Amino acid sequence: MYASTVRGLLVRGMLAGLIAGLFAFAVAYVVGEPPVRGSIAVEEAAAAQDAASAPSGHAGHGGDAASGGAAEEEELVSRPVQSTVGLATGVLVYGVALGGIASLAFSFALGRVGGFSPRATAALTGAGAFGLVYLVPFLKYPATPPAVGNPDTIGQRTTLFFLMILLSVLLGVGAIILGRRLAPRLGNWNATLTAAGGFVAATALAFVFLPDNSDAVQPGFPAALLWEFRIASLAVQLALWTVFAVVFGVLAQRLLAARTDDAEVTARQQAPALG
């Protein structure tokens, strides 16, 4: 019975993630694409300026090199396809995958973090996932638009970001365990405050000791454009997890209510036989 319930929640979590991904794609396309196009335009303008300021004696050779470089760097997928089909595919796959993972976290948390209803637990799961998986790492390593920073350090930047995600999730799980263990002695409220304070302190230490992403933004990049992109990134993630929490909460509530009703009917049917 428990395995079938978890399987049902997993399917509904992936469905909720798909629906949330559709909303997130809409936000990403409407709000996120303009700063992306702006950052690409800034890069192209800088490249054109560098080419114009090259020594005239190397114009012919430089022109050949530039044309050769352009041929080598020609996009396999056009920019319009990247901003529509490519963006939609990436966001939907991301939503489905995280929706399934979040549904498993919901299955574990239900009934273990307080007497919350399935909808309330789904809301807590969505808020926790947004905070631990995106917001906390974002505060240390904020998002930067494409064509910004040194391309040779992309691997390093990606590693640091995922390391921060791992630390954030582990610290969040540790805070939950600490809060549960302190609750019998301190009470739920005091235990929650103590665990939250420990999480903030440990996260602050991680921020201090992890290396900074010093070359994420090139000097002279427009600050307003960078700020716009980062706000858009937050908006996409917030839309994804808000819609997921709402949709999954409704689906999980219906599933668990139906399973409870079936269990009660089965118990009543077996009661006369046991009597």
Side-chain angles (χ1 to χ4, degrees):
M1 183 67 176
Y2 178 76
S4 63
T5 300
V6 173
R7 184 166 56 251
L9 290 172
L10 176 62
V11 172
R12 284 158 178 80
M14 295 173 70
L15 176 60
L18 178 63
I19 297 173
L22 291 173
F23 279 86
F25 164 69
V27 175
Y29 185 78
V30 174
V31 180
E33 275 300 306
V36 170
R37 290 194 294 267
S39 67
I40 294 175
V42 170
E43 182 196 33
E44 292 175 347
Q49 184 177 4
D50 292 341
S53 61
S56 58
H58 300 281
H61 179 72
D64 293 340
S67 61
E72 292 177 358
E73 297 178 2
E74 184 178 356
E75 294 178 339
L76 297 178
V77 181
S78 65
R79 177 62 192 152
V81 174
Q82 291 178 12
S83 62
T84 53
V85 178
L87 178 62
T89 302
V91 173
L92 292 179
V93 171
Y94 177 81
V96 171
L98 288 187
I101 296 173
S103 68
L104 296 178
F106 168 89
S107 302
F108 176 79
L110 185 63
R112 291 184 172 91
V113 294
F116 298 105
S117 67
R119 287 185 181 181
T121 305
L124 291 174
T125 302
F130 170 74
L132 296 177
V133 176
Y134 188 79
L135 182 59
V136 171
F138 176 89
L139 294 176
K140 175 63 178 176
Y141 303 113
T144 55
V148 174
N150 184 357
D152 295 334
T153 63
I154 291 178
Q156 178 187 2
R157 285 182 271 160
T158 303
T159 301
L160 289 174
F161 186 77
F162 278 100
L163 176 60
M164 192 64 237
I165 291 177
L166 178 60
L167 285 175
S168 176
V169 172
L170 291 177
L171 291 174
V173 173
I176 294 174
I177 295 174
L178 177 63
R180 290 188 61 193
R181 292 186 176 180
L182 292 178
R185 288 184 292 171
L186 303 180
N188 289 333
W189 179 251
N190 291 331
T192 300
L193 290 179
T194 302
F199 173 79
V200 172
T203 302
L205 288 176
F207 279 16
V208 170
F209 287 104
L210 284 176
D212 292 330
N213 190 7
S214 58
D215 66 340
V217 181
Q218 294 177 350
F221 189 84
L225 186 59
L226 179 63
W227 177 255
E228 183 181 352
F229 177 83
R230 289 176 174 174
I231 293 298
S233 299
L234 280 173
V236 171
Q237 292 291 327
L238 185 60
L240 176 73
W241 288 111
T242 300
V243 174
F244 170 81
V246 172
V247 175
F248 181 69
V250 173
L251 297 177
Q253 184 83 33
R254 291 179 178 177
L255 173 67
L256 296 175
R259 294 294 171 89
T260 301
D261 293 341
D262 292 342
E264 292 177 353
V265 170
T266 302
R268 284 197 296 268
Q269 290 175 347
Q270 294 177 349
L274 295 175

